[in-house]
Amino acid sequence: MTADTPETKPRSRGRRALRIGLLVLALLVLGTAGAGWWAYHRLDSNLASVDLDAAIGDNRPPKVVPGARNILVIGSDSRAGANAELDHGQVSGARSDTAMLVHIPEGRARATAVSIPRDTLVTRPECKDADGATVRSANRVMFNSVYSLAGPACVVKTVEQMSGVRVDHFVEVDFAGFKGLVDALGGVTVTLDKPMSGAKGSLKLDAGTHRLNGEQSLRFVRTRYGYGDGSDLGRIGLQQQFMMALLAELKKQDALSNPARLYKLADAGTKSLTTDSGLGSLSALAEFAQSVQGVDPSTMETIMLPVAYDRIDPNRVVVAEPQATQLWEAVRKDEKIPASAKDSPAKAG
């Protein structure tokens, strides 16, 4: 045994311990990367998408302001299964209960949401349904019937035809998944200036501030009777109010500091979404979300498409002119919407 042997063993043990530590660290990194890949793959596979260009074709409005973005957001209702009790029985087919065209101007500092009443009588253009079959054009059809007959691409085409606004992206939120997202957030807070009576199975709430869970939130956005005049126009106000509260809640929660909570939110959110192919991946959604993070929900302007009661069927509404033309022109040109364009002859009481 040489004089330097005692020194060799500690050094060897030290190197061996270092190698073991590096191996453990490598395994941890690989394990984390594997978990990250699994989580990404799962979230990415939750998403469904529609190729709007292929479904609609080239006959679309031109893009006037390249930096601005227009996103059509639709809340769909299967009217079956878990949602049936919210609509007083089974109704076949799926419908778009909520439709908002969200305009984000160039610069991404603010946003405007234009709600389209579901009972609006519109001209449906010729479309292709999900199976590729031709759906003929028709006049004086209810806006929310377009989705059930021909699918989301035809809804986009209808909105583009009636507005002259190019829809850049499409997002459909399934109501069943919507409940899961609210529950993953731990609820959403809303404030009512008058009570909600609970008529015809709707939510019953006193005037004041309330923290709503997923099922309560779904009943809130679908409430028609028991609040205001019981019309669809009154429901739009509740939907817009809830959308602002939901966005504020998402912005307030520091999910990035809690990976488990972030994953739970992302899982619930992606399960409820169908998008256009441009947003049809987790990376594309994340990139888009990053680009609009400067938009403050508290400053978002919410407007109802100006409508008037139909002279033939007072239970339906028609687009009011010249207000609607002024509104859509401002959106197309990325300009401030004039007060005259916000005046709707048909208003909720």
Side-chain angles (χ1 to χ4, degrees):
M1 182 179 294
T2 63
D4 62 348
T5 300
E7 295 180 10
T8 302
K9 290 183 178 179
R11 192 180 300 122
S12 177
R13 286 196 298 268
R15 281 196 291 266
R16 186 164 61 248
L18 178 61
R19 285 196 298 270
I20 292 173
L22 289 174
L23 177 61
V24 172
L25 180 61
L27 289 173
L28 286 173
V29 169
L30 288 173
T32 303
W37 177 88
W38 176 86
Y40 180 92
H41 179 73
R42 178 186 171 109
L43 295 176
D44 203 53
S45 64
N46 282 345
L47 292 167
S49 63
V50 175
D51 188 337
L52 292 181
D53 289 329
I56 297 176
D58 297 329
N59 186 21
R60 305 183 66 186
K63 185 71 178 175
V64 178
V65 181
R69 289 291 180 269
N70 299 303
I71 306 100
L72 183 64
V73 180
I74 290 179
S76 66
D77 184 357
S78 69
R79 302 300 181 97
N83 292 333
E85 76 278 5
L86 300 176
D87 202 39
H88 323 300
Q90 301 276 353
V91 180
S92 61
R95 301 183 186 180
S96 55
D97 259 15
T98 306
M100 295 182 184
L101 185 66
V102 180
H103 174 69
I104 304 176
E106 187 176 19
R108 310 288 201 274
R110 56 186 175 84
T112 300
V114 180
S115 292
I116 303 173
R118 52 175 273 173
D119 293 339
T120 306
L121 296 176
V122 300
T123 297
R124 186 188 68 231
E126 182 177 291
C127 298
K128 298 288 187 181
D129 64 16
D131 298 322
T134 298
V135 178
R136 297 176 63 180
S137 63
N139 298 321
R140 289 179 59 83
V141 300
M142 279 180 57
F143 177 75
N144 76 324
S145 71
V146 177
Y147 178 94
S148 59
L149 183 64
C154 195
V155 178
V156 172
K157 189 173 182 178
T158 301
V159 171
E160 290 189 338
Q161 177 177 277
M162 68 189 289
S163 67
V165 174
R166 175 68 173 247
V167 175
D168 300 295
H169 295 298
F170 159 80
V171 176
E172 176 188 343
V173 182
D174 173 68
F175 279 161
F178 166 85
K179 291 192 295 184
L181 175 60
V182 173
D183 284 333
L185 278 169
V188 172
T189 300
V190 298
T191 300
L192 293 176
D193 58 0
K194 54 187 173 184
M196 188 176 285
S197 71
K200 295 190 177 183
S202 64
L203 189 64
K204 185 173 183 178
L205 296 171
D206 295 328
T209 299
H210 304 270
R211 186 76 173 177
L212 306 181
N213 61 24
E215 182 177 343
Q216 291 170 325
S217 297
L218 181 54
R219 290 182 180 275
F220 184 89
V221 298
R222 300 216 48 237
T223 289
R224 179 169 181 170
Y225 304 102
Y227 191 79
D229 65 353
S231 71
D232 182 52
L233 305 185
R235 172 161 54 184
I236 284 176
L238 290 175
Q239 292 170 347
Q240 290 178 334
Q241 178 186 357
F242 188 85
M243 182 181 74
M244 296 300 100
L246 177 62
L247 290 174
E249 188 69 37
L250 285 167
K251 196 174 182 71
K252 181 180 71 174
Q253 293 203 14
D254 187 16
L256 290 177
S257 65
N258 187 334
R261 187 172 184 79
L262 177 61
Y263 177 79
K264 187 176 180 181
L265 288 172
D267 189 39
T270 52
K271 280 179 180 177
S272 70
L273 296 181
T274 299
T275 71
D276 66 284
S277 54
L279 295 179
S281 69
L282 193 61
S283 59
L285 270 179
E287 183 179 350
F288 180 74
Q290 180 72 20
S291 73
V292 299
Q293 66 175 354
V295 177
D296 186 347
S298 66
T299 65
M300 181 181 290
E301 185 176 23
T302 57
I303 302 170
M304 185 181 73
L305 175 68
V307 292
Y309 290 110
D310 183 52
R311 294 181 179 179
I312 298 174
D313 184 353
N315 294 316
R316 303 288 177 258
V317 294
V318 293
V319 174
E321 294 294 357
Q323 297 95 321
T325 295
Q326 294 172 354
L327 170 65
W328 294 132
E329 183 177 10
V331 172
R332 282 195 302 272
K333 295 182 178 180
D334 203 15
E335 296 174 345
K336 182 177 175 61
I337 297 173
S340 59
K342 305 174 188 178
D343 182 23
S344 185
K347 295 181 179 179

